[in-house]
Amino acid sequence: MKFNIAYFESNSSKILYTLVVLLLGLLTLERFAMAFSYNDALEGFDNNFVYPVIRLLQGKGIYPDAESYPFVVNPYAPLLFYISFLSARLAGVNGEEVIQVYYVTRTLCVLFDLATTAVLFRLLYRKLGASRLLALSISVSYLFVINQWGFTFNRSDSLVLLLFACFLWQLVTCLEKRSVKSLVLLATICSMAILSKQTAIVTPVIAGAVLLWQKEWKQFLLFTVSFLLILTLFLLTIFTLGPDEHLFQHLVRAVSNQVDIRWFYTNVFKILVNNYAILPLLIAVFIALRQIATPNGERVFTALSVAHLITTVFTLGIAT
């Protein structure tokens, strides 16, 4: 009896594809089940992100006076809180229905994580040319990791990772199309990412560095001006629609007081460097630096970007 290798490989791919899709469905169901559970403080961070939304729904500001009792400090940027506030209003939830507020904010974070998974899949499949099965497998693995660690369960990390993934997609698109519209959209994504979490300040730096590396002087200038104007517009809108006299106290003073280079070295950098998992990323960096200026440089840059996204997830997991 002759063994048909092609038939076996075809069926194996179908089986693997089915298993990956099934895993994606199970992970999604798990996250929604967690979102609508009565667990009020997964990993101890849940309450930190619900409290500001409740304050908004009660007609108060996001950031209370940190120098008065109960001395609450909220160093997180406001975008997720405003999105949650608007979503709660649309759902008819008020500040007295606390458990319903939990459901709204948790559901948003689930949707953000699923959207990040979808963007990561498109990066791998559309930009890198990976097979659909490989791209889906890596994307679902990403969702599995963040599900297990839980640091995006009800935190602004879910939103900033989504915007970071969108930033990578749009940055590569700008290198391909080099249009004004693409650059303005990239600047908008950078501004939104910063307003979701201050660590996203690296996004405009990365974008500017890549444009300079490619010697796109006009595009660099247009991006810089667009970014500054859009970020300023966002900030003016926040101060106009939701004035909060303690915003600077929380977002700048509190964060600057917590910035400790020794803490970062001990709890993030040293652990990451001592982990063998960083070796593929370092190899990718050297390859990308040699090939990013070649005709296939954009594809190499996309590969490095995806590696950076995944490494960001591990770094956040270590830090939290």
Side-chain angles (χ1 to χ4, degrees):
M1 180 176 171
K2 188 176 180 180
F3 183 72
N4 191 330
I5 297 178
Y7 176 81
F8 174 77
E9 290 179 346
S10 176
N11 279 276
S12 298
S13 297
K14 290 179 181 178
I15 293 172
L16 288 173
Y17 190 83
T18 302
L19 290 175
V20 173
V21 172
L22 180 61
L23 178 59
L24 174 61
L26 291 174
L27 290 172
T28 303
L29 289 175
E30 178 191 25
R31 282 299 301 275
F32 276 109
M34 292 167 62
F36 290 96
S37 71
Y38 283 90
N39 184 351
D40 65 344
L42 182 69
E43 295 292 332
F45 297 110
D46 212 353
N47 297 326
N48 296 342
F49 290 85
V50 173
Y51 178 64
V53 180
I54 293 175
R55 286 181 58 87
L56 280 175
L57 290 170
Q58 293 176 345
K60 304 174 183 178
I62 295 176
Y63 306 100
D65 186 359
E67 296 179 356
S68 300
Y69 183 83
F71 310 108
V72 176
V73 176
N74 179 9
Y76 301 101
L79 186 58
L80 177 64
F81 304 133
Y82 284 120
I83 294 175
S84 300
F85 165 73
L86 293 174
S87 300
R89 279 293 180 86
L90 290 174
V93 176
N94 59 55
E96 305 302 322
E97 300 172 300
V98 177
I99 190 63
Q100 302 298 325
V101 178
Y102 275 91
Y103 292 163
V104 170
T105 55
R106 290 175 175 182
T107 300
L108 284 173
C109 291
V110 174
L111 296 177
F112 292 151
D113 285 342
L114 292 175
T116 305
T117 304
V119 175
L120 179 59
F121 170 78
R122 286 181 61 83
L123 269 171
L124 293 163
Y125 182 58
R126 297 291 186 185
K127 300 296 185 182
L128 286 178
S131 68
R132 184 170 297 182
L133 177 59
L134 178 61
L136 185 63
S137 300
I138 295 175
S139 304
V140 173
S141 299
Y142 164 85
L143 184 62
F144 175 79
V145 169
I146 60 177
N147 271 19
Q148 292 303 304
W149 272 337
F151 62 85
T152 63
F153 177 72
N154 197 6
R155 297 182 58 182
S156 56
D157 297 281
S158 60
L159 180 57
V160 75
L161 284 174
L162 170 59
L163 291 169
F164 185 70
C166 293
F167 160 77
L168 295 177
W169 172 274
Q170 191 58 31
L171 181 56
V172 176
T173 301
C174 287
L175 294 176
E176 295 172 346
K177 295 183 178 180
R178 293 176 170 81
S179 66
V180 174
K181 182 180 178 180
S182 297
L183 286 170
V184 172
L185 181 56
L186 179 65
T188 303
I189 294 172
C190 290
S191 300
M192 293 178 64
I194 293 172
L195 292 175
S196 64
K197 195 169 185 180
Q198 296 93 311
T199 50
I201 192 67
V202 298
T203 54
V205 176
I206 293 173
V210 170
L211 292 173
L212 288 176
W213 185 282
Q214 296 289 325
K215 298 181 180 179
E216 299 287 353
W217 314 115
K218 291 183 179 179
Q219 283 78 5
F220 170 77
L221 181 60
L222 177 59
F223 166 77
T224 303
V225 173
S226 299
F227 166 71
L228 293 175
L229 288 176
I230 293 170
L231 181 60
T232 302
L233 180 61
F234 276 137
L235 291 173
L236 288 175
T237 302
I238 290 173
F239 281 115
T240 302
L241 298 180
D244 197 319
E245 58 181 323
H246 304 299
L247 185 144
F248 179 84
Q249 183 185 56
H250 287 257
L251 296 189
V252 180
R253 283 179 54 193
V255 173
S256 62
N257 289 339
Q258 290 180 356
V259 171
D260 188 336
I261 295 177
R262 289 177 297 178
W263 173 89
F264 181 84
Y265 172 78
T266 304
N267 293 280
V268 178
F269 179 78
K270 189 175 180 180
I271 295 176
L272 190 61
V273 170
N274 287 337
N275 193 325
Y276 290 113
I278 200 175
L279 289 176
L281 178 63
L282 294 176
I283 294 171
V285 169
F286 288 114
I287 294 175
L289 290 177
R290 289 177 59 86
Q291 299 189 15
I292 195 170
T294 67
N296 294 322
E298 292 165 0
R299 176 167 291 191
V300 176
F301 173 75
T302 308
L304 178 62
S305 300
V306 173
H308 187 207
L309 175 62
I310 296 173
T311 304
T312 301
V313 173
F314 280 92
T315 304
L316 287 170
I318 292 171
T320 55

